[in-house]
Amino acid sequence: MDKKHTTTENVMKGIFWSAMASTLWGFSGVIMQFVAKNEAVPTQWFISVRTLFAGILLLIIGSIHVGKHVFDVWKSKESIIRLFIYAIFGLAVNMSTFYVSIQQGNAATATILQYLAPIFIVLYGLVFMKKKPLKADVISFLLALVGVFLIITNGHIGELSVPLTAVIFGLLSAVSAAVYYSVPKPLSKENSPFVVLGWGTLIAGVCFNAYHPFWTDAPKITPGIVLGIGGVILVGTIFAFSAVLYSLKFAPSEVSSIVDAVEPVVTIILSMIVFHLIPTPIEAIGAIIIIVSIYFLQRSHQKMGKNDPDIR
């Protein structure tokens, strides 16, 4: 087998596993809508359970991979500070705001709004680091605004097609996702990504449980709740994260990130099938505009050798 064929084959494997990760995240969003709406699980209880048990499972997997090095992330003050920023302002805020956005609206809209995270990464660089924006940044930002406007208003000025709280929390989830994807990068270069995510999730879980322990005011446990929470932890965290890490063995992140758009597409399609959510033509156009704008933004930065908006 020649080298060119091997390289092409590896790239295709990388794209496949990255697409699988995005598909699993899409499934997870729909499962969360089921838990939030059909089972009416309270936000604080759900997040306390999800973060605590996901963190424990991730650290078990991480310790299997690296053994005693699972504690290396705690060896420097800088790493510890970065880990807590990642855990609290990234993971904890992202998981809670995304869930509330789904609870108040629906998984499809919440996923599309969270998909705007690269826009906020670029805006952070522009405002706080005085980075000169690329022409693609401006175009992508304007396109994203148009897409968001079409989704939340259905094209009617002064009228929202989804609750305002769902929009606000969806945008907050995008901001926290920008933190979630950017802050831990130096940690992941020196430690297993499973370990970094595991400690971050466990810290978030401890914080949530300090405020609202999962054993207090628990809802009536039904098979639907058990399957739903188990699905979010396994499908949306363990399996999806494993798939995206496995994809990087075959193709670089800039190749894999091309298929990030699979997640909102899967969520929209599943929402149509499971919850009979039929987007209007205007909403569909808005979603497509947002997906195209983020793809355009990521590709332009990858060609320039910049990694700021690479959120996966």
Side-chain angles (χ1 to χ4, degrees):
M1 186 181 292
D2 59 64
K3 185 176 180 181
K4 182 178 179 181
H5 179 72
T6 302
T7 302
T8 302
E9 186 178 277
N10 283 342
V11 168
M12 293 307 296
K13 285 182 179 178
I15 291 175
F16 170 80
W17 284 107
S18 184
M20 179 61 68
S22 292
T23 299
L24 293 172
W25 274 312
F27 268 99
S28 179
V30 173
I31 295 172
M32 269 195 269
Q33 180 169 333
F34 169 78
V35 171
K37 294 202 162 186
N38 292 55
E39 297 293 330
V41 174
T43 303
Q44 287 120 336
W45 187 84
F46 172 79
I47 300 299
S48 292
V49 172
R50 179 193 177 184
T51 50
L52 186 63
F53 289 98
I56 292 170
L57 282 174
L58 286 164
L59 282 177
I60 290 172
I61 295 171
S63 63
I64 292 172
H65 284 180
V66 301
K68 63 181 180 180
H69 294 293
V70 72
F71 296 103
D72 284 359
V73 73
W74 295 95
K75 288 185 176 180
S76 74
K77 183 179 178 181
E78 182 183 346
S79 294
I80 293 172
I81 292 173
R82 186 175 288 274
L83 184 62
F84 271 86
I85 293 173
Y86 165 58
I88 296 170
F89 298 103
L91 281 166
V93 175
N94 179 257
M95 288 182 180
S96 54
T97 53
F98 185 63
Y99 186 77
V100 173
S101 182
I102 290 175
Q103 197 174 48
Q104 297 296 315
N106 57 70
T109 302
T111 302
I112 286 291
L113 291 174
Q114 184 176 250
Y115 193 65
L116 295 168
I119 293 288
F120 289 101
I121 294 176
V122 171
L123 287 176
Y124 175 84
L126 175 65
V127 175
F128 295 101
M129 302 178 70
K130 308 301 180 184
K131 287 185 178 180
K132 185 179 179 181
L134 303 176
K135 189 180 293 184
D137 297 342
V138 178
I139 295 172
S140 297
F141 181 72
L142 294 175
L143 281 175
L145 284 180
V146 172
V148 170
F149 171 78
L150 293 178
I151 286 177
I152 67 176
T153 67
N154 199 18
H156 302 295
I157 298 176
E159 182 180 326
L160 293 178
S161 58
V162 292
L164 180 60
T165 50
V167 176
I168 292 172
F169 279 94
L171 292 175
L172 287 175
S173 76
V175 174
S176 58
V179 177
Y180 171 91
Y181 294 123
S182 300
V183 170
K185 283 186 177 181
L187 296 177
S188 296
K189 289 179 181 178
E190 300 173 356
N191 303 273
S192 164
F194 264 113
V195 171
V196 175
L197 180 62
W199 280 118
T201 308
L202 185 60
I203 291 169
V206 170
C207 291
F208 276 119
N209 278 276
Y211 174 72
H212 188 280
F214 72 87
W215 58 84
T216 62
D217 299 324
K220 182 181 178 182
I221 305 301
T222 65
I225 290 178
V226 173
L227 290 173
I229 294 177
V232 170
I233 292 174
L234 293 176
V235 174
T237 305
I238 308 296
F239 296 160
F241 194 65
S242 298
V244 78
L245 288 180
Y246 190 62
S247 75
L248 297 177
K249 289 185 176 183
F250 302 104
S253 60
E254 58 265 26
V255 173
S256 300
S257 66
I258 295 172
V259 295
D260 279 347
V262 170
E263 180 184 351
V265 172
V266 167
T267 304
I268 291 170
I269 292 173
L270 287 176
S271 295
M272 293 170 65
I273 296 172
V274 178
F275 302 113
H276 309 292
L277 177 69
I278 307 298
T280 66
I282 296 296
E283 290 171 334
I285 291 170
I288 292 170
I289 289 174
I290 289 175
I291 291 171
V292 169
S293 70
I294 300 302
Y295 171 81
F296 181 55
L297 177 68
Q298 289 184 323
R299 293 299 292 165
S300 64
H301 275 253
Q302 287 157 6
K303 288 178 181 178
M304 294 290 293
K306 298 182 179 182
N307 295 318
D308 307 67
D310 182 4
I311 66 168
R312 286 294 186 207

